[in-house]
Amino acid sequence: MKKVIFLISTVLFFGCNNKSAQSGAPSAAGDFERVIPPVFMKDITERANFFVTHFWDHFNFKDTAYVHNPDNITEQAFVDFIYFFRYASPDKIREGVAKLMKSAEADSVMFAYFSREAEHYLYEPNSPFRNDEHYIPFLEQFVNSSIIGETYKIRARYILNLARKNRPGNKAEDIQYTLANGKQGHLYGIKSDYLLLIFHNPGCDECRNAMDMIRNSAEISPLLRNGTLKILAVYADENLDKWKEHIAEIPSNWINGYDKSLNIREKETYDLKAIPTLYLLDKDKKVVLKDCSVENVNEFFKK
């Protein structure tokens, strides 16, 4: 997965001093003219908002050679584009995505290309850019597009419905869990300032790695000790014998339960596209971080 983080950061924070970029001269590889924010824009969010709403202003959406370029010019440009999302405001992200996808409707090949890139970078489990909030605007444009047949919109509507569940700022879906001793509890019955919710599979190497990082976290450990944070580990599948075999892998000061009713799986109350899946909730069970990494949780508590 290509990404030019240093170049992007340089442009975003310090401006671009590249003469060919400023003059709009295309590169020998056939690159298109990149926009440059006005010099008076100093605020990071203001500059990011400019980039996401004007990034594709000089791109020729009728030239399908861009989507077949062996140097991946358009793919790299797309990665540059979505990189700015982390600094831009949500309304400007929606505006920028709408502008991009409306322009891409100039050619069905171009529209399909950007739809695939959005899914690859913003939805696939192994992408470092994975983010439902950033992917939702693309899905909304796809399902509302006049150049896409209804048959092709079925999957997009399904993913959009999942992505809209448990969004940051909204209350999380409740979960009834069962402990090893048979006692039951539910997510909303856990009292703490913060709750780290972990969906895992027993014997999963990635889950074990994430749990080790949590155990060794200098940010999480003191909060867990003083009760500010509690951790609920949930197994959402049906192999109860395997879950019992791996009970000892879950720290004793975590709440370790399984979904006896299989509601999470059958009703898809949570989108478990990858395991482990982590959510950070506040005391009112509103989602603070969705489908996040342990690093994201550490960064949140550092601040």
Side-chain angles (χ1 to χ4, degrees):
M1 184 176 297
K2 294 177 62 181
K3 49 184 182 291
V4 187
I5 301 302
F6 178 77
L7 172 61
I8 297 170
S9 300
T10 301
V11 173
L12 181 59
F13 290 102
F14 305 109
C16 179
N17 294 316
N18 183 290
K19 292 182 180 179
S20 64
Q22 289 180 329
S23 65
S27 71
D31 205 352
F32 63 96
E33 179 186 350
R34 304 302 180 94
V35 296
I36 303 298
V39 293
F40 64 80
M41 287 187 179
K42 303 298 182 184
D43 179 72
I44 293 173
T45 300
E46 188 179 22
R47 292 173 67 83
N49 287 342
F50 178 88
F51 276 117
V52 300
T53 52
H54 294 282
F55 191 92
W56 303 97
D57 283 1
H58 305 299
F59 185 81
N60 185 357
F61 288 92
K62 293 182 179 180
D63 185 358
T64 57
Y66 275 112
V67 305
H68 304 297
N69 191 293
D71 294 322
N72 295 321
I73 288 170
T74 311
E75 180 180 8
Q76 180 62 66
F78 184 82
V79 173
D80 294 352
F81 172 62
I82 63 175
Y83 179 84
F84 294 124
F85 287 12
R86 67 187 65 190
Y87 302 105
S89 57
D91 60 320
K92 292 301 180 181
I93 293 173
R94 287 192 298 273
E95 181 182 338
V97 171
K99 190 174 179 180
L100 164 61
M101 298 308 286
K102 287 293 183 183
S103 299
E105 287 185 338
D107 188 284
S108 59
V109 172
M110 194 68 74
F111 188 88
Y113 175 83
F114 282 105
S115 298
R116 289 194 303 270
E117 290 296 286
E119 178 172 356
H120 174 64
Y121 282 102
L122 296 173
Y123 188 71
E124 289 186 4
N126 294 324
S127 171
F129 291 94
R130 185 180 78 206
N131 188 311
D132 281 356
E133 288 303 298
H134 295 168
Y135 189 40
I136 285 172
F138 284 96
L139 289 168
E140 291 173 339
Q141 291 300 314
F142 189 91
V143 300
N144 290 317
S145 174
S146 59
I147 70 168
I148 301 297
E150 289 301 311
T151 301
Y152 295 100
K153 293 180 180 181
I154 294 174
R155 179 173 176 273
R157 287 197 179 99
Y158 169 76
I159 295 175
L160 180 58
N161 180 57
L162 281 179
R164 285 173 170 168
K165 294 181 178 181
N166 304 300
R167 298 177 72 174
N170 294 344
K171 287 202 170 188
E173 291 283 341
D174 201 3
I175 296 172
Q176 185 178 58
Y177 58 87
T178 302
L179 304 175
N181 60 12
K183 291 184 178 180
Q184 292 188 325
H186 64 100
L187 184 147
Y188 277 78
I190 301 173
K191 305 302 180 184
S192 59
D193 289 345
Y194 292 98
L195 174 67
L196 183 58
L197 175 60
I198 306 173
F199 295 100
H200 71 102
N201 283 338
C204 158
D205 289 336
E206 290 299 323
C207 302
R208 189 178 296 111
N209 291 339
M211 290 177 183
D212 285 343
M213 290 177 66
I214 292 170
R215 286 190 189 95
N216 298 320
S217 169
E219 287 72 37
I220 293 174
S221 295
L223 300 178
L224 194 59
R225 285 194 298 269
N226 66 26
T228 299
L229 171 73
K230 291 186 179 178
I231 299 177
L232 171 62
V234 177
Y235 173 55
D237 220 325
E238 59 188 348
N239 192 339
L240 189 55
D241 289 337
K242 189 174 182 179
W243 177 76
K244 290 179 178 178
E245 288 175 10
H246 292 269
I247 282 180
E249 295 179 2
I250 307 297
S252 59
N253 59 343
W254 297 13
I255 303 169
N256 181 20
Y258 66 94
D259 180 15
K260 185 176 182 179
S261 64
L262 296 179
N263 276 337
I264 297 169
R265 190 184 75 176
E266 301 300 332
K267 296 182 179 180
E268 296 184 308
T269 52
Y270 286 81
D271 182 9
L272 304 183
K273 67 175 74 69
I275 292 293
T277 296
L278 278 66
Y279 285 75
L280 181 65
L281 313 180
D282 67 12
K283 64 180 179 180
D284 298 317
K285 303 304 180 284
K286 288 183 178 179
V287 177
V288 178
L289 298 175
K290 176 183 179 180
D291 194 9
C292 59
S293 65
V294 179
E295 291 88 348
N296 295 149
V297 177
N298 286 335
E299 288 171 8
F300 174 82
F301 286 122
K302 274 184 182 178
K303 296 176 182 179

